[in-house]
């Protein structure tokens, strides 16, 4: 728990209640209201948790005004440049960058767990071929608790560790299988000689009929996408994982809940929605029409890939992603990509438009990721599954931290009830 630096007094009627103020290592102070209901007989009201810290955590820090994202204290820009996804996984799970030997051990453990139980192949076959890969992933990841019940005892630290390794190792395999299933191609087994990102690309794009050589440029770009999405503090899907886990539910069930939450277009589903929007806009001359729609209060349309609950300056991940998009398209020799042109022009216009400036709406991580994924050959339906497989490590790290927290309590928010007060049941003929 953070240091307590003093208290604030809240007066309700003639009752004064002292509320401790905690100091985080960085960021705004936090008012501890845990005793508020017991002492003041009131709840707080905060839909969307805009002012509420639901837990204490040592994993990820975001300064939305500065546009800063730190994993265990390390800036995302430095990690994106110098690290790689599996090293970031180690960092998120264990708190420190690994030594060379620790990295080798971790990599070996993850690599040894990349295959899924053979029976899972039959489980996949229960899904319709045209199912969205996210629908398949929610089901299959949830089903991991049926296939790996020897790592579902949340009270056993060893089982928690095994579950974490299994999750990080198998989720690319599951995402690739969901893709292969949806296009009617045979599943491709993991290849342990490849690195994490290269292995995922191989499982997605290789076929038994011919050799497939992973392009190192694409593997690097994929690895960077994974790093940028690896964790993001207490966002909707991570909070879902924590809430599900607070009841003692097993980790696979909790991650399945996180995947379900991520699917929404306001969250991880935005990358698919964003590319579809860019395609719908089609050409640069149609941008003003869409900007006008985004500003129209009577039109539900929003500029996908714009805006963020926390970032009110810029999303540091979007900056790296934009550079990556330029790099990947350049290296692939794609110079006249119309979608990228539309994206860049849309960004330029929106960043100058008073509506977006006043509301502090900036491109988020999803704005450019779809362009890279499309250039790699992924259909839009795979964008959110790739987000999910990248975020799995963040979810499991947050889940592990929560289970090990002596202050863990089952999550149980209260409400501001606005329904009917008590009334008596009326017989049907009297209604
Ligand atoms: N286009 C147009 N207007 C927008 C947009 C947008 N993308 N985003 C927010 N606004 C406007 C809202 O209409 C609102 O206007 P008002 O104050 O006049 O009512 C104001 O900006 C504030 O918006 P809220 O929805 O209250 O902000 P909130 O913090 O709740 O939402 C969110 C953040 C969900 C990300 C929102 O900006 C959005 O829907 N963006 C588009 C979807 C998207 O890209 N999601 C990905 C987020 S990043 C991630 O999950 C990885």
């Amino acid at each position: 728990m953070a240091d307590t630096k003093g208290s604030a007094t809240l007066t309700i009627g003639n009752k004064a209640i002292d509320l401790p103020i905690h100091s985080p290592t960085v960021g705004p102070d936090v008012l501890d209201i845990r005793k508020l209901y017991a002492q003041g007989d009131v709840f707080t009201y905060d839909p969307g948790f805009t002012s509420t810290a639901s837990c204490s955590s040592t994993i990820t820090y975001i300064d939305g005004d500065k546009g800063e994202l730190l994993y265990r204290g390390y800036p995302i820009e430095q990690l994106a440049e110098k690290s790689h996804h599996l090293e970031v996984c180690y960092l998120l799970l264990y708190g420190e960058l690994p030594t060379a030997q620790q990295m080798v051990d971790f990599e070996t453990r993850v690599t040894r767990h990349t295959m899924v139980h053979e029976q899972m192949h039959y489980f996949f076959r229960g899904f319709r071929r045209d199912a969205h890969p996210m629908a398949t992933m929610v089901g299959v990841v949830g089903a991991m608790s049926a296939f790996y019940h020897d790592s579902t005892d949340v009270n056993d630290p060893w089982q928690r560790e095994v579950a974490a390794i299994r999750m990080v190792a198998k989720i690319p395999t599951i995402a690739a299988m969901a893709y292969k299933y949806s296009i009617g191609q045979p599943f491709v087994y993991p290849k342990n000689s490849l690195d994490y990102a290269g292995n995922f690309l191989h499982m997605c794009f290789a076929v038994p009929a011919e050799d497939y050589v992973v392009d190192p440029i694409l593997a690097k770009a994929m690895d960077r996408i994974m790093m940028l999405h690896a964790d993001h503090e207490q966002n909707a899907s991570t909070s879902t994982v924590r809430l599900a886990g607070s009841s003692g539910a097993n980790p696979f069930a909790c991650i399945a809940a996180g995947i379900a939450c991520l699917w929404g277009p306001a969250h991880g589903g935005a990358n698919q929605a964003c590319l579809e929007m860019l395609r719908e806009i089609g050409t640069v001359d149609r941008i003003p029409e869409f900007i006008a729609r985004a500003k129209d209060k009577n039109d539900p349309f929003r500029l996908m890939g714009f805006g963020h609950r926390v970032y009110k300056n810029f999303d540091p991940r979007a900056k790296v992603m934009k550079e990556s998009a330029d790099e990947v398209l350049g290296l692939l020799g794609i110079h006249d990509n119309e979608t990228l042109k539309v994206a860049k022009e849309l960004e330029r216009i929106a960043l100058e438009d008073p509506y977006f400036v006043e509301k502090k709406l900036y491109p988020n991580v999803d704005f450019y990721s779809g362009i890279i994924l499309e250039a790699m050959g992924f259909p839009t339906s795979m964008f959110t599954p790739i987000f999910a497989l990248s975020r799995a490590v963040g979810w499991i790290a947050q889940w592990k931290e929560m289970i090990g927290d002596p202050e863990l309590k089952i999550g149980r928010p209260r409400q501001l009830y606005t329904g009917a007060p008590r009334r008596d049941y009326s017989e049907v003929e009297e209604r």
Side-chain angles (χ1 to χ4, degrees):
M1 191 71 200
D3 293 342
T4 302
K5 76 168 199 192
S7 66
T9 306
L10 176 71
T11 309
I12 304 173
N14 54 10
K15 207 187 291 176
I17 304 159
D18 259 356
L19 300 170
I21 299 174
H22 304 304
S23 289
T25 25
V26 264
D29 289 342
V30 172
L31 195 58
D32 184 339
I33 58 164
R34 280 178 292 180
K35 298 272 174 354
L36 188 60
Y37 177 53
Q39 293 179 3
D41 207 23
V42 288
F43 297 141
T44 55
Y45 180 59
D46 185 17
F49 305 110
T50 53
S51 298
T52 299
S54 58
C55 61
S56 69
S57 179
T58 59
I59 302 175
T60 294
Y61 173 74
I62 302 172
D63 185 326
D65 294 322
K66 276 207 259 169
E68 184 175 66
L69 168 61
L70 311 176
Y71 291 166
R72 301 283 191 185
Y74 296 102
I76 191 68
E77 296 85 351
Q78 287 182 26
L79 293 169
E81 189 194 331
K82 298 181 178 167
S83 186
H84 57 92
H85 185 64
L86 262 196
E87 186 176 67
V88 163
C89 289
Y90 185 99
L91 176 67
L92 291 171
L93 286 168
Y94 306 113
E96 296 297 335
L97 288 169
T99 61
Q101 189 54 48
Q102 284 168 334
M103 192 63 234
V104 170
D105 292 346
F106 181 65
E107 218 159 349
T108 308
R109 275 190 295 149
V110 170
T111 306
R112 290 276 154 79
H113 278 283
T114 48
M115 289 206 302
V116 295
H117 194 293
E118 195 62 15
Q119 189 72 18
M120 274 189 139
H121 292 222
Y122 300 100
F123 188 75
F124 267 92
R125 290 189 185 137
F127 290 98
R128 282 172 56 135
R129 290 272 177 193
D130 60 357
H132 194 288
M134 278 300 271
T136 311
M137 276 185 82
V138 173
V140 175
V141 171
M144 283 177 79
S145 40
F147 287 97
Y148 302 104
H149 39 81
D150 58 342
S151 53
T152 52
D153 179 355
V154 302
N155 298 316
D156 178 345
W158 174 246
Q159 292 200 29
R160 297 204 294 264
E161 175 63 18
V162 174
I165 296 289
R166 280 182 167 151
M167 200 67 246
V168 172
K170 293 183 200 303
I171 197 150
T173 313
I174 290 172
M177 288 171 84
Y179 174 52
K180 285 297 200 190
Y181 188 75
S182 72
I183 55 170
Q185 288 187 2
F187 297 135
V188 175
Y189 285 93
K191 204 169 178 184
N192 289 354
S193 56
L194 295 171
D195 64 18
Y196 194 81
N199 182 39
F200 174 64
L201 292 178
H202 187 262
M203 288 189 289
C204 288
F205 296 124
V207 286
E210 58 191 52
D211 288 339
Y212 172 83
V213 180
V214 178
D215 183 332
I217 297 163
L218 298 191
K220 188 170 170 252
M222 176 53 72
D223 192 80
R224 192 175 272 182
I225 288 178
M226 289 171 171
M227 269 191 281
L228 291 176
H229 286 90
D231 195 45
H232 214 229
E233 209 226 62
Q234 307 311 320
N235 58 84
S237 55
T238 303
S239 298
T240 301
V241 170
R242 279 188 179 255
L243 192 57
S246 74
S247 71
N250 75 71
F252 306 117
C254 298
I255 304 295
I259 296 173
C261 176
L262 185 78
W263 195 2
H267 193 9
N271 53 13
Q272 171 171 353
C274 179
L275 197 84
E276 286 166 358
M277 175 195 77
L278 294 174
R279 281 197 196 135
E280 194 192 340
I281 298 175
T283 47
V284 168
D285 57 305
R286 294 192 64 208
I287 293 175
E289 179 195 325
F290 284 82
I291 297 259
R293 282 187 62 195
K295 292 197 271 188
D296 182 355
K297 281 269 155 259
N298 300 316
D299 190 331
F301 174 79
R302 282 187 168 200
L303 277 193
M304 286 293 142
F306 263 80
H308 197 273
R309 168 59 62 78
V310 183
Y311 293 121
K312 300 299 176 195
N313 184 333
F314 66 91
D315 179 341
R317 302 167 302 172
K319 254 188 166 176
V320 180
M321 206 63 97
K322 185 180 180 178
E323 284 164 23
S324 265
D326 277 331
E327 200 178 294
V328 170
L329 266 57
L331 289 166
L332 291 176
I334 307 172
H335 298 297
D336 54 352
N337 182 289
E338 201 56 42
T339 319
L340 186 63
K341 268 194 225 156
V342 172
K344 284 192 170 166
E345 185 59 9
L346 183 62
E347 179 183 3
R348 193 191 63 76
I349 296 177
L351 292 183
E352 287 173 1
D353 189 296
Y355 174 93
F356 291 88
V357 174
E358 274 158 31
K359 294 188 189 303
K360 300 186 172 174
L361 298 170
Y362 295 86
N364 57 49
V365 68
D366 292 322
F367 193 66
Y368 282 105
S369 60
I371 293 170
I372 308 179
L373 293 173
E374 190 190 40
M376 285 178 176
F378 284 106
T380 50
S381 60
M382 274 305 285
F383 294 2
T384 317
I386 289 169
F387 190 159
L389 83 87
S390 313
R391 182 56 58 84
V393 66
W395 289 329
I396 203 88
Q398 300 266 354
W399 172 83
K400 273 182 88 192
E401 179 180 67
M402 180 189 71
I403 299 294
D405 184 347
E407 297 201 333
L408 169 64
K409 271 181 181 298
I410 184 169
R412 188 11 178 133
R414 304 307 294 251
Q415 63 174 2
L416 169 62
Y417 178 66
T418 55
R422 185 194 160 102
R423 50 185 167 166
D424 290 325
Y425 180 83
S426 56
E427 298 303 331
V428 68
E429 52 288 353
E430 290 162 14
R431 290 174 212 161

